[in-house]
Amino acid sequence: FFSLLLFMLSHSWLRRWSRFRTCRAFLRALTTESEALHSKVVADVGAKAWNLHFKEGQVFTDDLAFANGVEDGATPLFRILDIEGNVVNPACMPDLSRDQCRKLMEGMVRSNMMDIVLYDAQRQGRVSFHLTQFGEEGVITGTAAALNFTDMVYAQYREAGVLLYRDYPIKDMLAQCMGTVKDKGKARQMPIHYGSPEYHFQTVSSPLATQLPQAAGAGYAFRLEGQDRIVCCFFGEGAASEGDTHAGMNFASTLGCQTLFVCRNNGFAISTPATEQYKGDGIYGRGLGYGMRCLRVDGNDIMACYVAVQKARALILQHKAPVLIEAMTYRGGHHSTSDDSTRYRSKGEMDFWLQNLSPIRRFAKFCERNGYWDKEDSERCRQETRAQIITALEDAEAQPKWPVDSLFDDVYEQMPYHLQKQKAELLEHTKHFGSEYPSLGPSAEQ
Amino acid sequence: RSRLFLRSSRRRNCTTLALFFFAPQHPPSSLMMKSLVRAVAQARPSPFGPARAGARRTQSAVHQTPEPVDESIRHLNGVHTNFLGAINSALDNAMARDPKVCIFGEDVAFGGVFRATSLLLEKYGKDRCFNTPLAEQGIAGFAIGMAAMGWKPVAEIQFADYIFPAFDQIVNEASKYRFRSGGQFNCGGMVIRSPCGAVGHGGLYHSQSVESYFAHVPGIVTVMPSSPADAKGLLLACIESPDPCVFFEPKALYRVAQEDVNPDYYTLPLGKGRIVTEGSDVTLVGWGGQVHVMAKACERAKQQLGISCELIDLRTIVPWDQDLVEASVRKTGRLIVSHEENVTGGFGAEICSAVAESCFLHLQAPPKRVCGYDTPFPLIHEKYYLPSEPKVFEAIRDAVNY
């Protein structure tokens, strides 16, 4: 036993043990070194091949943890005013004069009044279609106010307030809705599909989200031209499900476009609630994935919308990169005059939003408290707008429609021979059968 | 090559096609060469539309008032060039001439999977020749947006088979942009160019001809050239055109078709066809790669049966040169239209019915279509699927014997 003990404590065993320990330490050192090298190589590949920059963070993780955009909780809404119009965020309060605040109020009230009158006009059969902005006046007018007049707007269709804020003539809007000869769009599109180069407002088209990649292209052109202008592109949370939204935001981000994406998340796409539209952290969460600066804002707080867009505009021009703003609102009206939204949501729910969370009411309280605006101003603004729209409506009803031969113009820049032939055929046909077609008004019938 | 494979995961086959089957050492088909050289030699000046070197066009490129044109401008100071070289030369000329011409699409920055955009990045910078993310609807929409701001984007869709994701942007947006705004806005500066047609082994998604989908869309100009000199002149006309254009390039011709091409800036009139060979017995109408197949069939009909065929290269699908085709049919009394696309709803139907309507009393045989079958484009049966030379020859024989 003693001899065995002696043997075990003998020099050779100790040496072996110590060599073993050295070897382990060496191996550990070796492993650490190669791991560091490995991490560095992967980080380099990450930057070059994958366009991923790990920065200070770790390159690898030992946690088998799947991320979840729902359980982590939603990103909060940026706001300045509370629902009673009190400034709860004075640090971000913009330095707006009395007149500027009045202009914001007027913008929202006029937009609201126009919707009321045109909605009724549609119900009376005087215009064929209308789409209101009830509940979303804050984000629309606030964005319009923070943009420069020459910033190009790509709208979806629920943004007529931008044109009103830019003092687009109401008679021109009515000419479009009624399809008269005064409509510069030549009465080819449905009502509310406005457009005007002078007011830097691209003509609205019905297919949803097609404007997003276009806005990216326009923003790219602005960057190459070195312009101090941005493109502002509106869309709803429903349109955000279209492939074009993905393409537009990804292109804008990778190609460096001077484009601002403003998503009006109003909870509904016609009857489809947002719960059936997406699962993650709204549209905001996607913007992050595209590598854009993103902000979620209280869309019923016009101050917050104004400040957000103003800041976004500066960031876009500074970094030559797009920005996404998700404005949380609530669609206060039906989707359109062809929709009765009480079939899929309660009237009480709509009324609650409109009465308690209305962007107009909230900002009016703020303005009244500061002596910028009072109830009489609201009433006067409403009556004036109403009178202007009724006059424009009556004028438009007295106007002739575009003559029938204009149907063939603008398909191409110049009319190709086959369209010339078809136009001649139609004009010849109406010579004989003209009485069987509707009248287009006095000047059109020659 | 390995770098290429890494970069184009989804389009690996395309890169393979481009690098292995269109490699410069790939010998051109002598038959195709002969027919092409002959076709060019016999081409007579078209009586329609102007073709001016270096002249800014004031008129719409779509509708030209007839004026004498000397299309020999295509070959002036000619440099022997293949189809790809002519496309590259057109893009180079356009970018040098107008700082608002931009080239973009998938993989165009390194020269393109077919090398059509070689050296443009080096010459004009990464802002004007750049890669986009892999999304066709984005490419088309981006082009519309740039064009609406007054730029002249030339967007590439890597294969015509993949233009369908952009169909909505082209059909609902680009084509209607001017009309729906009452002429207040337009995206006429844009051109979409895309390789199309059979290539021997392209299967379903590297072979399609899709021109008739676009022929049904008012507001866009659809063009498909058949020779290098035509390709250059027509592409430059598309870039200059105030209307959005879709420009299809038969990829089988990329390295096979070669001729002398004017190295300077010149345009050819859009909407004007070209008589490739004059004849008196049968009128044949085709476009793109099919023109060469038909030229061979015409030659065989002449050799074996003594039939004189008049072959017309339509060049522009919409608006098509109806006057030229009708004048020819009035002379010959017989019409054969041939295209690679499947027969039902193909553009041949439009030509045949238009001619039946306008030349009814001149027809001595029913207008005939020789086209692809109404199947998806096959792989191993490609030779059987295509409207081959014997099929066209048979149709010529039957038309004369009717």
Side-chain angles (χ1 to χ4, degrees):
Chain A
F1 173 77
F2 277 109
S3 60
L4 186 64
L5 192 69
L6 270 172
F7 175 75
M8 285 184 70
L9 290 173
S10 75
H11 186 65
S12 69
W13 260 96
L14 280 173
R15 263 183 64 189
R16 275 187 198 176
W17 180 238
S18 79
R19 262 169 71 186
F20 178 62
R21 283 177 58 109
T22 321
C23 186
R24 261 179 52 179
F26 175 74
L27 274 174
R28 198 183 304 126
L30 203 69
T31 314
T32 321
E33 202 175 296
S34 72
E35 251 173 29
L37 184 70
H38 183 205
S39 294
K40 191 180 174 314
V41 168
V42 173
D44 285 352
V45 168
K48 284 179 198 148
W50 306 330
N51 193 24
L52 295 177
H53 303 273
F54 297 97
K55 308 270 188 225
E56 309 293 302
Q58 52 186 145
V59 174
F60 293 99
T61 177
D62 301 334
D63 295 334
L64 181 62
F66 291 86
N68 182 316
V70 181
E71 282 169 11
D72 296 344
T75 303
L77 288 62
F78 168 77
R79 70 163 179 183
I80 291 178
L81 304 178
D82 68 10
I83 58 166
E84 292 304 318
N86 300 307
V87 180
V88 290
N89 186 356
C92 294
M93 188 62 193
D95 187 21
L96 285 179
S97 69
R98 177 178 183 274
D99 285 350
Q100 283 170 308
C101 287
R102 283 181 65 86
K103 183 138 202 265
L104 289 178
M105 266 316 291
E106 276 171 16
M108 286 196 288
V109 171
R110 286 177 80 210
S111 151
N112 184 264
M113 199 59 209
M114 176 168 220
D115 282 340
I116 292 171
V117 178
L118 284 182
Y119 188 83
D120 289 346
Q122 195 280 335
R123 285 290 176 258
Q124 296 162 5
R126 296 168 83 179
V127 292
S128 60
F129 179 78
H130 188 65
L131 233 148
T132 67
Q133 301 159 79
F134 297 141
E136 299 177 52
E137 294 92 346
V139 51
I140 295 162
T141 307
T143 303
L147 293 174
N148 276 10
F149 182 78
T150 55
D151 289 339
M152 184 59 77
V153 174
Y154 276 84
Q156 179 166 300
Y157 46 55
R158 208 182 289 284
E159 295 92 359
V162 174
L163 277 174
L164 275 177
Y165 189 86
R166 289 185 170 184
D167 290 325
Y168 187 71
I170 282 180
K171 63 176 173 47
D172 288 2
M173 290 177 129
L174 267 295
Q176 199 282 328
C177 292
M178 312 280 288
T180 72
V181 76
K182 295 277 175 71
D183 175 22
K184 294 197 176 95
K186 301 191 185 166
R188 290 177 181 144
Q189 291 214 85
M190 283 172 73
I192 62 124
H193 289 56
Y194 307 115
S196 167
E198 294 81 25
Y199 290 80
H200 308 285
F201 194 93
Q202 290 282 320
T203 300
V204 171
S205 73
S206 307
L208 287 178
T210 48
Q211 75 273 22
L212 273 98
Q214 295 172 14
Y220 185 80
F222 282 180
R223 173 163 77 74
L224 293 202
E225 289 163 12
Q227 292 223 38
D228 192 24
R229 293 165 76 190
I230 66 160
V231 175
C232 174
C233 180
F234 287 97
F235 59 105
E237 92 286 348
S241 297
E242 291 279 4
D244 275 334
T245 304
H246 163 62
M249 295 212 264
N250 196 28
F251 272 55
S253 200
T254 50
L255 295 168
C257 305
Q258 293 178 187
T259 308
L260 170 65
F261 296 104
V262 179
C263 177
R264 297 176 291 96
N265 189 337
N266 62 18
F268 288 92
I270 307 188
S271 73
T272 306
T275 49
E276 292 163 26
Q277 201 67 248
Y278 56 78
K279 186 78 176 170
D281 188 8
I283 312 307
Y284 170 89
R286 295 185 209 165
L288 294 182
Y290 294 119
M292 263 189 262
R293 288 176 181 79
C294 299
L295 183 75
R296 172 171 286 158
V297 59
D298 183 345
N300 290 2
D301 174 3
I302 191 169
M303 279 286 109
C305 294
Y306 177 83
V307 170
V309 174
Q310 206 179 34
K311 176 75 176 169
R313 195 179 182 281
L315 286 171
I316 289 166
L317 292 174
Q318 182 191 343
H319 298 284
K320 311 287 181 205
V323 169
L324 169 71
I325 291 175
E326 183 183 23
M328 313 311 282
T329 66
Y330 185 82
R331 199 187 75 211
H334 303 298
H335 164 70
S336 74
T337 48
S338 309
D339 170 54
D340 171 15
S341 67
T342 57
R343 291 167 68 103
Y344 50 83
R345 61 179 181 179
S346 74
K347 180 131 192 351
E349 181 186 311
M350 288 162 71
D351 291 344
F352 175 80
W353 272 90
L354 282 180
Q355 282 158 23
N356 298 293
L357 301 168
S358 147
I360 302 180
R361 180 179 165 277
R362 186 185 304 189
F363 193 59
K365 285 195 169 184
F366 168 83
C367 289
E368 284 165 16
R369 200 169 297 127
N370 286 283
Y372 298 161
W373 187 265
D374 54 36
K375 295 217 160 43
E376 288 75 52
D377 285 325
S378 279
E379 196 47 38
R380 194 179 333 108
C381 187
R382 283 189 184 280
Q383 290 312 321
E384 275 174 17
T385 311
R386 189 185 157 77
Q388 284 169 2
I389 298 167
I390 299 284
T391 312
L393 191 67
E394 283 165 356
D395 284 356
E397 279 171 341
Q399 291 287 336
K401 308 290 185 202
W402 273 87
V404 70
D405 54 357
S406 70
L407 157 65
F408 298 92
D409 294 334
D410 304 314
V411 178
Y412 296 91
E413 198 225 22
Q414 292 202 4
M415 203 181 295
Y417 73 91
H418 65 287
L419 283 182
Q420 290 178 10
K421 204 172 122 197
Q422 289 166 25
K423 177 177 159 179
E425 277 170 13
L426 175 62
L427 293 181
E428 184 61 25
H429 170 73
T430 51
K431 268 188 202 165
H432 307 290
F433 295 93
S435 61
E436 296 180 42
Y437 292 88
S439 159
L440 294 171
S443 81
E445 298 198 331
Q446 319 145 10
Chain B
R1 276 178 196 178
S2 57
R3 196 172 129 255
L4 293 178
F5 280 122
L6 279 175
R7 287 170 61 137
S8 58
S9 53
R10 181 181 134 198
R11 299 290 158 73
R12 181 176 294 180
N13 290 337
C14 325
T15 317
T16 322
L17 279 174
L19 290 174
F20 292 96
F21 296 97
F22 296 129
Q25 63 271 23
H26 188 66
S29 139
S30 58
L31 269 174
M32 267 200 169
M33 270 292 296
K34 265 185 204 160
S35 69
L36 191 95
V37 167
R38 204 174 134 272
V40 165
Q42 295 195 355
R44 68 167 192 201
S46 162
F48 305 100
R52 301 173 205 149
R56 193 89 200 143
R57 196 172 290 191
T58 49
Q59 254 197 322
S60 164
V62 172
H63 184 72
Q64 305 290 337
T65 44
E67 61 180 276
V69 59
D70 182 8
E71 287 202 12
S72 65
I73 192 156
R74 302 178 294 176
H75 308 300
L76 202 70
N77 306 319
V79 177
H80 194 71
T81 314
N82 65 18
F83 201 100
L84 272 173
I87 296 289
N88 187 256
S89 168
L91 295 174
D92 190 3
N93 271 290
M95 291 179 95
R97 182 184 167 88
D98 188 341
K100 290 215 158 178
V101 174
C102 262
I103 312 286
F104 56 86
E106 293 155 16
D107 308 300
V108 302
F110 86 112
V113 294
F114 290 110
R115 314 306 300 156
T117 53
S118 292
L119 299 176
L120 297 177
L121 166 70
E122 288 78 356
K123 277 178 101 167
Y124 303 102
K126 64 179 170 49
D127 280 347
R128 290 180 62 201
C129 177
F130 53 96
N131 288 339
T132 65
L134 205 164
E136 286 76 13
Q137 61 201 107
I139 293 171
F142 198 83
I144 295 171
M146 284 196 82
M149 298 301 115
W151 284 67
K152 292 186 170 178
V154 183
E156 177 180 307
I157 301 291
Q158 205 162 62
F159 285 81
D161 311 65
Y162 305 124
I163 205 166
F164 297 112
F167 204 54
D168 182 41
Q169 285 285 355
I170 297 170
V171 173
N172 274 331
E173 295 290 319
S175 73
K176 298 169 172 59
Y177 217 90
R178 188 191 299 276
F179 184 79
R180 75 179 184 212
S181 69
Q184 296 186 96
F185 291 103
N186 73 81
C187 60
M190 71 180 281
V191 178
I192 292 181
R193 42 169 294 272
S194 185
C196 75
V199 67
H201 51 273
L204 280 80
Y205 305 115
H206 299 88
S207 309
Q208 291 180 61
S209 297
V210 300
E211 62 273 13
S212 66
Y213 290 97
F214 296 92
H216 194 59
V217 184
I220 52 172
V221 177
T222 307
V223 179
M224 198 195 292
S226 69
S227 84
D230 273 8
K232 180 174 174 182
L234 291 170
L235 180 53
L236 285 169
C238 284
I239 294 171
E240 211 178 83
S241 155
D243 298 306
C245 299
V246 183
F247 188 87
F248 292 115
E249 301 161 8
K251 56 185 168 297
L253 302 181
Y254 269 163
R255 297 190 191 276
V256 171
Q258 304 180 14
E259 64 180 328
D260 284 352
V261 177
N262 182 345
D264 300 324
Y265 186 92
Y266 68 95
T267 63
L268 294 173
L270 297 176
K272 297 296 163 201
R274 176 170 65 97
I275 295 181
V276 180
T277 41
E278 283 193 70
S280 54
D281 297 332
V282 191
T283 298
L284 285 98
V285 179
W287 50 89
Q290 193 60 16
V291 170
H292 303 281
V293 175
M294 294 166 87
K296 282 188 275 182
C298 291
E299 185 60 33
R300 184 166 158 190
K302 189 178 178 185
Q303 303 276 323
Q304 296 186 5
L305 307 171
I307 296 171
S308 161
C309 299
E310 180 145 299
L311 175 57
I312 293 175
D313 175 3
L314 206 56
R315 303 203 287 198
T316 303
I317 313 300
V318 169
W320 63 288
D321 197 344
Q322 204 167 340
D323 290 347
L324 184 69
V325 174
E326 284 175 7
S328 175
V329 173
R330 286 201 186 97
K331 182 173 73 177
T332 62
R334 296 174 187 90
L335 173 68
I336 293 167
V337 185
S338 182
H339 54 65
E340 287 182 13
E341 264 189 304
N342 55 311
V343 61
T344 302
F347 197 66
E350 176 59 37
I351 296 173
C352 287
S353 60
V355 167
E357 216 174 284
S358 60
C359 306
F360 188 68
L361 294 176
H362 294 84
L363 287 169
Q364 296 172 40
K368 170 78 181 163
R369 290 171 289 167
V370 186
C371 308
Y373 302 112
D374 290 334
T375 68
F377 201 102
L379 183 69
I380 60 161
H381 295 137
E382 177 174 315
K383 291 268 189 297
Y384 294 87
Y385 169 87
L386 284 172
S388 58
E389 185 212 323
K391 289 182 194 171
V392 179
F393 172 75
E394 187 184 27
I396 296 171
R397 190 197 62 192
D398 292 353
V400 172
N401 293 339
Y402 184 78

